[in-house]
Amino acid sequence: MIKPVSQLKIGVVGIPGKWSTEVLADEIEAKTGFRCVIDIEKVVADLATPTVTYNGQCLCELDAIIIKKISQTYSPMVLDRLEILRFVESCGVKVYSKPCEIIRLVDRMSCTISLARAKIPMPKTVITEDIDAALQAVKEFGEVILKPLFSTKARGMQVISAEQSDKKMMKELQEFYDIHKFFYIQQKLKLPGHDMGLVFLGGEYQGAYARVANGDSWNTTIHSGGKYAEVKPSEEIIEMAHKAQAQFDLAYTTVDIAETEQGPVCFEVSAFGGFKGAKDGLGLNMAQTYVDYVIKQLQNAQ
């Protein structure tokens, strides 16, 4: 017997008070009458019982959980939080997207290797712990972006140019290494002033928006002053994005792609996917569409 929508209990793991988390919880509440925003930092997992609780609510008794955000910033700690949700999943709760797939994406290394293995075009990239090899990569690429393995919205990223002295480059590389303990070096490409976020739900393409740089920053993120706009990517780019996201079994995601002089390249597949770009750039309420998708998945599984 299919459980009525009004009896479904769907929780949201996110940041209480943040727009994307609350708008998703609003849509769930509008459909089901149930609201549960879960701050993962305050979850208690008792593996012996077994119970996983938050504010008196046993998460193992929910029908589903949608992971909107796991942390304000990415760090290895995020992996441990996802492991707790993987345990909740083992109790029979449907989790969107699957924690094991998100784990593959929050670490930039894992995402990049998966895309490279699938032969998805990306900027030239060197990954190493050797500072001499890192210096050689900067010289070879001319201008690079150093990227932390755990970061969002370009936080912690640093641009280095080969036009400066070896001593200056070595100093900047050493300072980066002292913080991050690893070099992820990507050639800085000339972009047309914007990049694209292609939206996918259940593996199906929904549309694309552009992030347009404000002219004062090398990156296009909204965090750095960029703005959203509608964009119509070519079939080639849509196919590239489709192939990229297909490497991961995600319920909802956005794929970041930019057009360059060498052709389109993929920067990353998002672990969570945003709603703001689709709303402001395309006029799409993807939070509502996502909730409808999850409810349909739950009913089909009954």
Side-chain angles (χ1 to χ4, degrees):
M1 181 177 177
I2 296 177
K3 182 182 289 189
V5 173
S6 61
Q7 293 181 18
L8 291 175
K9 292 185 176 182
I10 304 171
V12 177
V13 169
I15 310 297
K18 287 294 185 178
W19 179 82
S20 61
T21 297
E22 297 296 339
V23 75
L24 188 56
D26 289 344
E27 295 294 345
I28 294 170
E29 187 175 19
K31 291 282 196 311
T32 68
F34 180 80
R35 188 186 191 93
C36 180
V37 175
I38 303 159
D39 183 349
I40 195 69
E41 293 183 27
K42 298 180 180 179
V43 166
V44 178
D46 183 341
L47 306 188
T49 310
T51 57
V52 181
T53 57
Y54 172 72
N55 278 356
Q57 171 69 56
C58 179
L59 304 189
C60 294
E61 295 175 355
L62 299 177
D63 293 291
I65 288 174
I66 300 176
I67 307 175
K68 184 62 201 78
K69 204 73 173 175
I70 205 75
S71 176
Q72 290 274 30
T73 57
Y74 286 4
S75 72
M77 186 185 299
V78 169
L79 304 180
D80 298 322
R81 293 174 179 174
L82 288 165
E83 287 295 343
I84 292 175
L85 294 174
R86 199 161 69 91
F87 180 75
V88 173
E89 188 179 40
S90 74
C91 296
V93 180
K94 299 294 184 182
V95 182
Y96 302 88
S97 293
K98 297 176 182 177
C100 62
E101 295 299 314
I102 296 177
I103 286 171
R104 297 174 58 207
L105 286 166
V106 294
D107 181 345
R108 179 169 278 110
M109 172 86 77
S110 177
C111 177
T112 300
I113 295 299
S114 296
L115 294 176
R117 291 183 60 181
K119 295 180 170 49
I120 305 295
M122 292 183 292
K124 292 180 180 179
T125 305
V126 167
I127 302 168
T128 183
E129 296 178 68
D130 186 274
I131 193 167
D132 292 324
L135 178 63
Q136 184 58 40
V138 177
K139 291 181 176 182
E140 179 184 341
F141 293 162
E143 192 172 26
V144 306
I145 303 171
L146 300 179
K147 298 185 176 184
L149 294 183
F150 295 89
S151 74
T152 60
K153 304 185 187 302
R155 293 184 180 95
M157 295 186 186
Q158 181 179 340
V159 176
I160 293 185
S161 172
E163 293 182 357
Q164 56 194 335
S165 67
D166 284 12
K167 182 179 180 180
K168 175 68 172 174
M169 283 188 285
M170 285 293 280
K171 181 177 182 292
E172 293 184 2
L173 288 168
Q174 186 63 58
E175 289 173 350
F176 184 88
Y177 181 81
D178 289 344
I179 297 172
H180 301 289
K181 308 303 180 187
F182 221 105
F183 293 113
Y184 179 107
I185 306 165
Q186 206 159 63
Q187 185 178 36
K188 187 173 182 292
L189 301 175
K190 291 182 179 180
L191 304 182
H194 72 270
D195 64 359
M196 294 172 276
L198 283 78
V199 183
F200 289 84
L201 177 66
E204 298 297 324
Y205 176 64
Q206 305 294 307
Y209 56 86
R211 283 177 294 254
V212 183
N214 69 357
D216 297 324
S217 174
W218 62 267
N219 69 75
T220 62
T221 65
I222 304 306
H223 178 71
S224 297
K227 295 181 179 180
Y228 293 118
E230 185 176 3
V231 68
K232 296 188 181 300
S234 66
E235 287 300 320
E236 176 192 6
I237 289 175
I238 294 172
E239 180 56 34
M240 178 193 295
H242 189 279
K243 183 178 179 182
Q245 64 85 37
Q247 306 309 308
F248 312 92
D249 186 9
L250 300 167
Y252 180 71
T253 188
T254 52
V255 182
D256 292 348
I257 288 182
E259 296 175 281
T260 74
E261 294 174 346
Q262 292 80 35
V265 296
C266 178
F267 288 117
E268 69 173 6
V269 177
S270 171
F272 307 103
F275 299 143
K276 195 71 172 174
K279 181 177 183 295
D280 292 352
L282 296 170
L284 296 179
N285 185 350
M286 288 309 301
Q288 181 184 75
T289 306
Y290 193 3
V291 172
D292 289 340
Y293 169 83
V294 168
I295 289 173
K296 184 176 179 180
Q297 292 292 308
L298 292 174
Q299 291 180 327
N300 288 343
Q302 292 179 24

